[in-house]
Amino acid sequence: MDEVDFALVNALQISPRAGWSQLEAIVGVDATTLSRRWSRLVDSGLVWSSCFAVTPPEGPRRSSGVIALVEVSCVAGERENVLDRIAPNPSVLTIECTSGSRELILTLSFLSVAEVDRYVATELATVPGVLATRTHFTRTFFKEGTSWRLGVLNQSQIRALNALPASGIDAPARPTPLHEQVINGLAGDVRRSATSIADEIGKSVATVTRAIGQLLYAPWARTRVDLAHNVVGYNASVMVWFSVPHHQLETVGAGLALLPETRMCCSVINSANLTAVLWMRDLLEFDTLEAKIARAFPTAQIEDRWMLPRFAKRLGHILAPTGRHAKFVLPNPPALPSNWHDLP
């Protein structure tokens, strides 16, 4: 990827369905070239995109869903076999390989705590090669991949993207069955054409186009553009676990979310009650970053830190060992909780 590719991905992180002609004026590269480059990036597995539903903040508590992080220890030499068994499960949103005393960390989405417990105890724990599991129920997400940005565009370009005409200001308070169909249609490719989705669900192109415009600005849907970070220069991913005094948890979480290196940050129910995933160009940056965090938040005690040498699945997208996109499994969250986004 070169500078134009990074600028294009950054632009689509901000405005995922912007037209090529709109982007031409902002990025400074002609529309045909941008379209060709995007197709090349997607076809090569370097970039992919997602769309998913979240429960509106005012939604009923019973449907808000539960997100859990689960450590998985594997028999020596069995990690890949375990990955192959669990990756197709639509409720396993994300799988990351780790260093340290466990081999995998999973992100699960279920309707209830009981359903998480049932899956871990009766399905995950019985997969051949699984030695042990440890579950951490999440509380508040201060940041996740939807709000992470490459940060290569200047402020003028960002303002121009945010100023593009909005067509979804009349979005309903909650998604309709039509919106749910359209979200599923966009789940593995947020730039999929309205015509293709209309043909699939048996609706008019105009109806689908209007629904897409609405969900892009609705509080009950999210979009994101991801990339094979280890292939394009982010060579070090670290997961850090903090113990933070409860009365400072929100302040520290919100502060960590503001760091450009922070990919994900959430509070959990555990003695280490806050965790963050940091993406860096080089592992040597971690010493400086850890010292910076310690100065800014002296009461946030680091309890553990792991390397994440490989991402095997990310929000339904299964990745090859190289980190490139391989295939997509439609996630099966009832609707991710409304805290599945950055709060600051």
Side-chain angles (χ1 to χ4, degrees), residues 21 97 110 124 184 190 236 248 262:
S21 59
C97 301
F110 284 93
L124 179 60
N184 284 342
V190 75
Q248 295 182 334
T262 301

Side-chain angles (χ1 to χ4, degrees), residues 261-304:
E261 295 88 354
T262 301
R263 170 72 180 188
M264 185 279 290
C265 181
C266 71
S267 57
V268 297
I269 300 175
N270 193 2
S271 56
N273 55 358
L274 185 71
T275 186
V277 173
L278 309 173
W279 281 8
M280 294 156 288
R281 296 284 183 177
D282 190 281
L283 187 56
L284 294 176
E285 298 175 22
F286 182 58
D287 287 339
T288 302
L289 184 57
E290 186 172 347
K292 180 180 178 179
I293 292 171
R295 289 192 300 270
F297 308 107
T299 61
Q301 179 69 40
I302 293 181
E303 299 291 340
D304 205 352

